[in-house]
Structure formats: structure tokens, C-alpha cells
């Protein structure tokens, strides 16, 4: 679309994508005409055949912009169309304007809506990651799925023991070495109760082993050239482990698409909502919009960061991670840690609930993560300025937003 001029004929093609079928609709904005509506199976050969025929009918000099709504079908169709020299975008569902109170919804109507959305430019495109970055993201999500299964398996085992009148007798946390040793001493006189316990217990042990194996492979992925530099910078911040860092990098991909830290915080849903009217101003809980996985990871990282009672404390692991990092990155990471610990300690002393304090810390941590990633992306400019004692525009933006 870079060579488009005022005289170029642009045809907008909306595709309502499903697992089994695709519905197409072309739109000519000059003539305000919807045409070439078609429905076929979701095989790429059918999609390409439709576009080639459409290209012949409207003329080879016409330029096509194709778009479909982001969904469970992923990025495959977009990549294939781009390889065939068709301009294609994936539309964020939340940016598609829909008529209020609409009672009729069909694939044909959705394809028409997508075509007009492309023409009127009333959408936000989804960032298309590289194939390698997508593969890394999918593997980190395997760990998340196993963690969810492990939590359920642990809950099932503890519930079973509670029903049998055998709660953990010692004080302290579950799933410590002492607790695991206590579980191994369990023995039931009834055969079927013993079988039940062994099944629950075996499931927990199996999933714990799987999580450890997956995490070991994720540490290997952290050395990949596409993500290594960003991960090495993120883990310099206390509370962010290698697993969290690679998950955040893989989920977001290109951080430079967010012009401000505020935009990034809004994207992951960590900014407070608002329900104001007239002279009444009322702020609500965080919006929880956008990428829920990154939001959860940052909340967990903020919770880990606040565990130290000494705000200036730095663990041996963090010192080891910072050993080979540049002075600018270490300085920025230490500034982040000090700022967040002081802030969360202050909020805790005011008597605010634990989850509210941690979420507030996660919001500011997200600002620093955005700043750090932009520092890495602009290493030759931003980091050199900081080394010379000059604050970059990126750092100023972060500090202005945090100061609000």
C-alpha cells in the first residue's frame, strides 16, 4: 500500500474467517459499492482463487487491501496472503464499530462490515509477529496450560485429604519439601481409598515434572538471538525471572508500536476504568482489557518484587543477571526496583489491601518494562544518551506518566 496515490483504485476485501468456511465481500469506496460476495471452504487455495478472479475482473492496476478479524484461526492466512503479494491486515475485534441493538448477525453481514471497516480506516491492526516469535509464544503458553492443570490437580488432592479428615497438621505452606514428605507417608486401609490417593498424588507429581522440564527448555529459548537481548535486560529488574521475561517479550513482540507507556498500560488492561457523568468523577477497578497473560505476569512479578522488606535489597540471582549488562540498563533496573518497593511500601502502610497494592505496583512496573524495551530497541541512541548523563525522551515519558 506504499505506492497508492489519489488516482489508484483500491479494493477493500473483508473476509469473515471460520474453521470450515470463509465469507468474502469486496468494497469500492469511490463508487460506494459492495460486490463479489462469495462463500467457500476455508482452504487457502479457494481464497487465492477468489482473489485472483477478483483481480482479473477489476483490473490488474487495482490495489487490494484484505482484512479479517483476529480469532482462533491465528496468523496463517495473513502470512500466506502476504507471500502472494497481497496487502493483508488482521483487525483487532474491539476496534470494529458495530450497530447497537443489532439482532441479526450473519457471515455475509460480517464480511461487509469488515470491508467497510478497512475502507473507513476505523480499526486497529493486530501486530503480526515473526514465525519464530510466535513459536516461542506458543511454547511459553504450554507452560501456562500445565500450570493451570497442576493447580487443579493440587486442589483435587488437598480436597480429597480434607474429605478423609486428614488436613496437613503442620503450620506453614503447602507443597514445601516437608509437605511433600508428609504426603508420601499417607496410607489408607481401604484398597479403593488408597487407589484414589495414589491417582491424585501421581497426577500432581507428573505435572510438576512436566512443568520443570518445560521451564528448562524455556531457559534454552532465552538464548535465541531474536529475544536474548531484550530478556537479558528485563531480568535485571528484581522480580522478573527468565520465564516471565520471555513470556512478556513473546506476547508483546514489538514494543515500539506503543508511543507512550500509558498506551502500553492500557493495552494490557492495568489502567483504572472510569464511570463519570456531569460533575461526578468516579474511577473504577482496572479495565482488564487486552492481553490478560501479560497483565497476570506483571502482577506476579510485582508481588515477587515486594517480598523484600529492605527496599534496597538485591538478591544474588539479580546480581548475577546484571553482571554482563550495561551500566545504563543496571541503573534503570535498580531505579525501577527502588521506586516500586518504596511505592508499594507506602501504599501498604496506608492500609490498602494486598491485591490493590500489588496491582498498583504492576502498573508502574509495566511502565518501566516499556521503557526498558524501548531502550533496547534504540540502543545506539537512547542508551548512549543516558551513558552521557542525558535523559532520553523515552525515559522522560515514563517518568512523566509515573508521576501522574
Amino acid at each position: 500500500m506504499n505506492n497508492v496515490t489519489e488516482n489508484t483504485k483500491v479494493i477493500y476485501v473483508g473476509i469473515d474467517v471460520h474453521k470450515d468456511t470463509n465469507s468474502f465481500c469486496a468494497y469500492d469506496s469511490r463508487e460506494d459499492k459492495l460486490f463479489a460476495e462469495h462463500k467457500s471452504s476455508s482452504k487457502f487455495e479457494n481464497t487465492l482463487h477468489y482473489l485472483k478472479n477478483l483481480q482479473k475482473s477489476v483490473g490488474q492496476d487495482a490495489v487490494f487491501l484484505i482484512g479479517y478479524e483476529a480469532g482462533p484461526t491465528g496468523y496463517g492466512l495473513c502470512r500466506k496472503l502476504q507471500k502472494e503479494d497481497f496487502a493483508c491486515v488482521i483487525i483487532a475485534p474491539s476496534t470494529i464499530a458495530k450497530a447497537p441493538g443489532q439482532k441479526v448477525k450473519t457471515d455475509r453481514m460480517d464480511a461487509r462490515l469488515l470491508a467497510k471497516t478497512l475502507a473507513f480506516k476505523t480499526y486497529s491492526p493486530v501486530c503480526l509477529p515473526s514465525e519464530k516469535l510466535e513459536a516461542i509464544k506458543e511454547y511459553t503458553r504450554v507452560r501456562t496450560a500445565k500450570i493451570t492443570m497442576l493447580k487443579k490437580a493440587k486442589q483435587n488432592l488437598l480436597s480429597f485429604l480434607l474429605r478423609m479428615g486428614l488436613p496437613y497438621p503442620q503450620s506453614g505452606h503447602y507443597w514445601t519439601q516437608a509437605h511433600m514428605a508428609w504426603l508420601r507417608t499417607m496410607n489408607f486401609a481401604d484398597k479403593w481409598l488408597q487407589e484414589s490417593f495414589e491417582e491424585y498424588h501421581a497426577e500432581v507429581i507428573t505435572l510438576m515434572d512436566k512443568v520443570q522440564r518445560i521451564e528448562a527448555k524455556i531457559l534454552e529459548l532465552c538464548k535465541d538471538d531474536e529475544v536474548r537481548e531484550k530478556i537479558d535486560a528485563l531480568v535485571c529488574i528484581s522480580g522478573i525471572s527468565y520465564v516471565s521475561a520471555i513470556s512478556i517479550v513473546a506476547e508483546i513482540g514489538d514494543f515500539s508500536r506503543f508511543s507512550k507507556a500509558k498506551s502500553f498500560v492500557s493495552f494490557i488492561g492495568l489502567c483504572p476504568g472510569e464511570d463519570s457523568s456531569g460533575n461526578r468523577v468516579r474511577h473504577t477497578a482496572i479495565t482488564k482489557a487486552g492481553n490478560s497473560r501479560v497483565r497476570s505476569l506483571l502482577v506476579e512479578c510485582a508481588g515477587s518484587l515486594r517480598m523484600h522488606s529492605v527496599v534496597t535489597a538485591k538478591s544474588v540471582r539479580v546480581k548475577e543477571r546484571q553482571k554482563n549488562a550495561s551500566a545504563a540498563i543496571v541503573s534503570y533496573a535498580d531505579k525501577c526496583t527502588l521506586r516500586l518497593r518504596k511505592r508499594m511500601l507506602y501504599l501498604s502502610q496506608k492500609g490498602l489491601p494486598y491485591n490493590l497494592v500489588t496491582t498498583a505496583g504492576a502498573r508502574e512496573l509495566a511502565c518501566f518494562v516499556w521503557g526498558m524495551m524501548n531502550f533496547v530497541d534504540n540502543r545506539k541512541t537512547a542508551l548512549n544518551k543516558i551513558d552521557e548523563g542525558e535523559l532520553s525522551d523515552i525515559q522522560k515519558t515514563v517518568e512523566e506518566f509515573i508521576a501522574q
Side-chain angles (χ1 to χ4, degrees), residues 219-235:
L219 293 179
E220 294 178 14
L221 283 174
C222 292
K223 300 176 184 178
D224 190 280
D225 291 338
E226 187 164 349
V227 295
R228 177 177 53 80
E229 191 174 3
K230 289 183 178 181
I231 291 170
D232 288 344
L234 276 183
V235 296

Side-chain angles (χ1 to χ4, degrees), residues 262-365:
K262 184 177 182 179
S263 301
F264 175 58
V265 172
S266 297
F267 173 75
I268 58 177
L270 276 173
C271 61
E274 185 172 348
D275 181 16
S276 301
S277 179
N279 294 326
R280 177 179 63 84
V281 177
R282 178 173 174 265
H283 293 285
T284 61
I286 60 172
T287 61
K288 294 186 179 181
N291 196 307
S292 59
R293 188 159 179 255
V294 175
R295 180 173 64 251
S296 299
L297 285 169
L298 289 171
V299 171
E300 290 176 6
C301 292
S304 176
L305 189 147
R306 67 177 294 193
M307 290 176 65
H308 289 279
S309 58
V310 182
V311 295
T312 57
K314 189 185 295 187
S315 67
V316 176
R317 285 182 296 178
V318 173
K319 291 179 181 178
E320 185 66 26
R321 295 170 190 166
Q322 294 180 348
K323 187 178 294 184
N324 298 321
S326 67
I329 287 179
V330 173
S331 175
Y332 189 81
D334 290 346
K335 178 183 177 181
C336 168
T337 302
L338 183 62
R339 159 81 186 187
L340 264 63
R341 282 181 178 162
K342 283 185 175 179
R343 181 66 175 169
M344 288 190 285
L345 179 62
Y346 169 74
L347 294 175
S348 297
Q349 290 174 344
K350 288 184 65 176
L352 296 179
Y354 177 89
N355 60 338
L356 193 152
V357 174
T358 306
T359 304
R363 174 178 175 270
E364 295 199 9
L365 178 59

Side-chain angles (χ1 to χ4, degrees), residues 60-72:
Q60 295 292 332
D61 57 335
V63 175
F64 286 79
L65 177 60
I66 305 162
Y68 63 93
E69 186 177 354

Side-chain angles (χ1 to χ4, degrees), residues 31-279:
E31 300 181 10
D32 190 22
K33 180 178 69 173
L34 293 165
F35 64 102
E37 295 180 278
H38 176 68
K39 187 172 185 177
S40 67
S41 70
S42 58
K43 292 181 180 180
F44 179 70
E45 293 78 10
N46 294 336
T47 301
L48 187 61
H49 180 70
Y50 166 85
L51 293 172
K52 294 288 187 182
N53 287 340
L54 182 61
Q55 200 170 37
K56 290 178 183 178
S57 65
V58 299
Q60 295 292 332
D61 57 335
V63 175
F64 286 79
L65 177 60
I66 305 162
Y68 63 93
E69 186 177 354
T73 54
Y75 308 106
L77 178 59
C78 183
R79 290 198 180 103
K80 290 177 181 177
L81 289 173
Q82 289 179 354
K83 288 179 182 178
E84 296 292 336
D85 294 328
F86 286 103
C88 182
V89 295
I90 303 175
I91 303 172
S94 59
T95 62
I96 300 175
K98 298 179 181 178
Q102 184 176 347
K103 300 297 183 181
V104 180
K105 181 184 181 299
T106 65
D107 294 347
R108 182 183 181 185
M109 294 176 63
D110 288 343
R112 287 182 172 186
L113 177 61
L114 290 170
K116 288 191 173 183
T117 299
L118 289 170
F120 301 147
K121 299 180 178 61
T122 56
Y123 68 94
S124 293
V126 172
C127 179
L128 183 66
S130 66
E131 293 185 27
K132 179 178 286 187
L133 195 63
E134 184 184 8
I136 293 174
K137 178 177 71 174
E138 290 299 333
Y139 193 74
T140 59
R141 288 185 174 186
V142 172
R143 175 185 174 273
T144 303
K146 296 299 180 184
I147 290 288
T148 303
M149 294 168 64
L150 177 58
K151 288 180 179 179
K152 183 62 178 178
K154 287 179 175 179
Q155 183 183 22
N156 288 337
L157 177 57
L158 294 178
S159 297
F160 168 76
L161 293 175
L162 185 60
R163 291 195 300 271
M164 297 300 104
L166 294 170
Y168 184 45
Q170 304 296 327
S171 60
H173 297 289
Y174 293 125
W175 314 114
T176 60
Q177 290 185 359
H179 181 241
M180 297 296 288
W182 175 77
L183 288 175
R184 289 192 291 270
T185 64
M186 289 289 100
N187 190 22
F188 294 87
D190 186 273
K191 173 186 175 181
W192 298 113
L193 287 179
Q194 184 65 28
E195 287 281 348
S196 300
F197 169 77
E198 290 177 358
E199 287 292 339
Y200 284 129
H201 189 235
E203 181 72 8
V204 171
I205 298 300
T206 301
L207 288 171
M208 290 176 72
D209 291 340
K210 286 183 178 180
V211 170
Q212 290 179 357
R213 177 171 51 82
I214 292 170
E215 288 179 348
K217 291 184 178 180
I218 288 177
L219 293 179
E220 294 178 14
L221 283 174
C222 292
K223 300 176 184 178
D224 190 280
D225 291 338
E226 187 164 349
V227 295
R228 177 177 53 80
E229 191 174 3
K230 289 183 178 181
I231 291 170
D232 288 344
L234 276 183
V235 296
C236 290
I237 301 175
S238 295
I240 300 182
S241 65
Y242 279 101
V243 174
S244 297
I246 192 173
S247 299
I248 293 170
V249 170
E251 289 288 338
I252 300 301
D254 182 15
F255 282 83
S256 62
R257 58 195 168 110
F258 304 104
S259 59
K260 299 180 180 179
K262 184 177 182 179
S263 301
F264 175 58
V265 172
S266 297
F267 173 75
I268 58 177
L270 276 173
C271 61
E274 185 172 348
D275 181 16
S276 301
S277 179
N279 294 326

